[in-house]
Amino acid sequence: MPKKERYQNRIELLQGTLDMLILQTLQWGPQHGYGISQSIQGRSREILQVETGSLYPALHRLEKQGWVTSHWKQTESHQRAKYYRLTPAGKRQLLSEQARWAQIVTAIAGIMNPAPDEG
Amino acid sequence: MSFWTRLFRRRRREEELDEEIQGHLRMATQERMEQGVSAEQARVSAVREFGNVGLVKEVTRQMWGWGWFEQLMQDVRYGIRMLAKNPGFTAVAALTLALGIGANTAIYSFLDALLLRSLPVSDPKSLVVLNWHAKAWREDFVMRDMSGDVEDDPKLGSVSGIFPYPAFELLQQSDSVFSDVFAYCQTQEVRTMNVTIKGQADLAHGELVSGDYFRGLGVRPAAGRLIVPDDDRTGAAAVAVVSHAFSEKHFGGASSAAGQTILINNLPFTVVGVAPPEFFGVDPAAAPDLYLPMHTNILLGAANQFGFRAHDYLDQNSYWVEIMARLRPGVSLVQAQATLAPRFQQWVATTASNERERANLPALTLKEGAAGLDTLRRQFSKPLFVLMTLVGLILAIACSNVANLLLARAASRKREIALRLSVGAGRLRVIRQLLTESVVLATLGGVLGVFFAIWGIRFLTLLLGGGPEHVTMRAELNWHVLGVAAALSLLTGVLFGLVPAMQSTHLDLASVLKETRAGQPNRLSSDSIAKTCCYSN
């Protein structure tokens, strides 16, 4: 039981951010679930680990929202995989998320590193 | 989108999700192998990194928005499997519930027929029944002759619905408040009659009705025509209308009854039509077989030395007709009463022959006629409510018995539940599953219960009616009653399932899982205990 609770907390914590990270990753072209998790992991220099239990629900949620579409394609190593692609609505969503993220970063930074003239 | 297309799509989606995840695992394995890890180790490590495949699938499926339905179906399937696994338990529990639900459904169907359904006539809400009340009626009272009932009432003294025929004629002239005024009665002549149909003699219950009775009620014939004002006068051709049940019993159907000639007390009558099947007269307790124009009681009475005579229609002190009326649109019951009570008062004063009679004149009151005359209600509603309470208690007892059975079984299912909880099922989820199981059980009980109810209704009809010849009420399984049975099943399912479910999910997981497998007889250990006992002896 405690295991389950912890699990759900993590999903909740990541939800907004993970969606943004996925949309950002798909900006560079269609990608499959494994590719997306590898890409986020790589670009964050192995700091961000994407749980599959969060990744796949997020992908399916984004698809339901109409921000990504999916299709089956061969990978370079000749395996069938489900590729996700950003839709125009997804691009708009990404832009608004980026703006919101920038706001949050500035706001938190303002608290964490107060400007010298204020101190 | 239809249910089946949705279900089909969901299947495919499910397969795609599986393929998507397998693809993920394959790619992860391959990448590890490219880094020089052995195939076996790569696979294990990829799976470990991925986590619980089942759980990932489940949380992903929840995003499709149909998760609750799938979970429900899953729970129902699982519930049915668990019940099938324990046929003994299931049979006992379902039968217990079936008896409880069946009894409640049967009694409810009577209450439904008796209290909740209105007369099968057009716009029953505008119908009113005419009554009078007086302080006392046994002595010094304008009513010197009567055929009907007078009820004692703690507040009003005495209440009755019988009037002299001249009073009916007076009230028929109340065009300002009533659109129709009609009368009916069951005098001695018609209560039980000898009828001969195609040479076969039988007994039948009749009712005398005034010419505008059927028009006033707004009833349409099932065949032929109904009685009209022209039939109801001295010297008119002798006609009769039969009930639908009577037409089926004696003529083999409504359409073949119309036009037939029958003998009533050896007098020829023409059956001009058949009343609709759901119509049982204004008094559900009477449920006549034959409706005769009121004035035929002169024909029928002629054969009898003390029978009805034409001059009885003029007698102002002989009370025998019951009166109903239909309010004009826009006229309320109170308004009508205010208009008619003084008029009746004035008339009835003229019928008194001395001062003491004048001091205790009957006063007119109007009552709603929507549910038919309430003889049957008065007679049966109290015992039915008592019965309803009793069977309600029986159901409560049945519920607690089944809850006890479930609690006992929960002990043997501890391990299963602990296992579910420990592999990540939420407590609410497990409670929901157990509740679904008990609702499935209750549904089974409910279905059986409906069969019990059908049987119970037949039995009660005999019991309340006093015998198969006197069936007075039509109680039946309709959607109302079935709806109540379904609601009862659902309610009982939750009621008896909730406590056991809450209790059995409240577990110390580790200690339960360490116990030996429950549900499977552990022969070895019990044998060794027995042996130990033997040796120690």
Side-chain angles (χ1 to χ4, degrees), chain B residues 26 31 40 46 58 61 98 107 114 129-130 163 189 231 277 293 315 326 340 349 374 403 412 422 439 477 515:
Chain B
R26 266 199 308 277
E31 206 171 280
E40 180 61 24
E58 188 169 332
R61 271 193 297 252
I107 302 287
L114 197 59
V129 182
L130 277 65
F163 288 88
E189 279 82 10
D231 298 320
D315 190 337
R326 191 180 282 283
L340 295 180
D374 57 359
S412 63
S422 65
V439 169
L477 284 177
E515 280 171 21

Side-chain angles (χ1 to χ4, degrees), chain A residues 1-4 7-8 11 32-35 37-38 41 49-61 63-64 70 72 75 77 79-84, chain B residues 13 15-17 19-21 23-24 26-32 34 49-52 55-56 58-60 62-65 421-422 424-427 505 507 509:
Chain A
M1 210 161 32
K3 204 173 174 179
K4 171 94 179 182
Y7 203 57
Q8 277 181 338
I11 292 171
H32 46 72
Y34 180 67
S37 76
Q38 291 302 100
Q41 211 165 314
Q49 291 263 339
V50 183
E51 294 253 7
T52 52
S54 309
L55 175 68
Y56 284 103
L59 283 171
H60 285 237
R61 186 171 56 237
E63 192 177 4
K64 205 180 170 205
S70 66
W72 290 87
T75 64
S77 47
Q79 284 180 342
R80 232 167 79 85
K82 197 177 176 190
Y83 276 79
Y84 293 87
Chain B
R13 234 169 164 181
E15 284 163 12
E16 283 195 356
L17 177 62
E19 204 180 334
E20 189 175 10
I21 287 171
H24 182 120
R26 266 199 308 277
M27 284 185 274
T29 311
Q30 198 165 25
E31 206 171 280
R32 282 172 171 72
E34 279 161 12
E49 190 198 55
F50 189 91
N52 187 335
L55 194 57
V56 170
E58 188 169 332
V59 290
T60 306
Q62 275 169 9
M63 296 302 141
W64 301 346
L421 289 172
S422 65
R427 184 165 171 227
T505 50
L507 290 173
L509 299 186

Side-chain angles (χ1 to χ4, degrees), chain B residues 1-15 64 66 69-70 73 77:
Chain B
M1 210 190 313
S2 89
F3 176 82
W4 294 112
T5 26
R6 277 181 88 159
L7 202 67
F8 177 72
R9 262 187 210 195
R10 191 168 179 87
R11 258 294 130 81
R12 242 190 36 208
R13 234 169 164 181
E14 194 87 41
E15 284 163 12
W64 301 346
W66 228 31
F69 181 77
E70 167 172 329
M73 289 323 277
R77 272 200 303 272

Side-chain angles (χ1 to χ4, degrees), chain B residues 150-184:
Chain B
V150 180
E151 300 268 328
D152 288 325
D153 186 289
K155 264 203 305 219
L156 300 169
S158 308
V159 179
S160 178
I162 48 173
F163 288 88
Y165 197 80
F168 171 54
E169 287 177 314
L170 173 86
L171 291 163
Q172 270 185 312
Q173 293 152 21
S174 322
D175 292 343
S176 61
V177 289
F178 292 148
S179 57
D180 292 284
V181 183
F182 50 93
Y184 50 94

Side-chain angles (χ1 to χ4, degrees), chain B residues 189 192-196 200-204 262-267 290 300:
Chain B
E189 279 82 10
T192 309
M193 303 181 296
N194 294 309
V195 290
T196 312
Q200 292 218 316
D202 202 352
L203 292 177
I262 60 173
L263 294 178
I264 299 176
N265 294 352
N266 280 326
L267 295 166
L290 292 162
L300 294 166

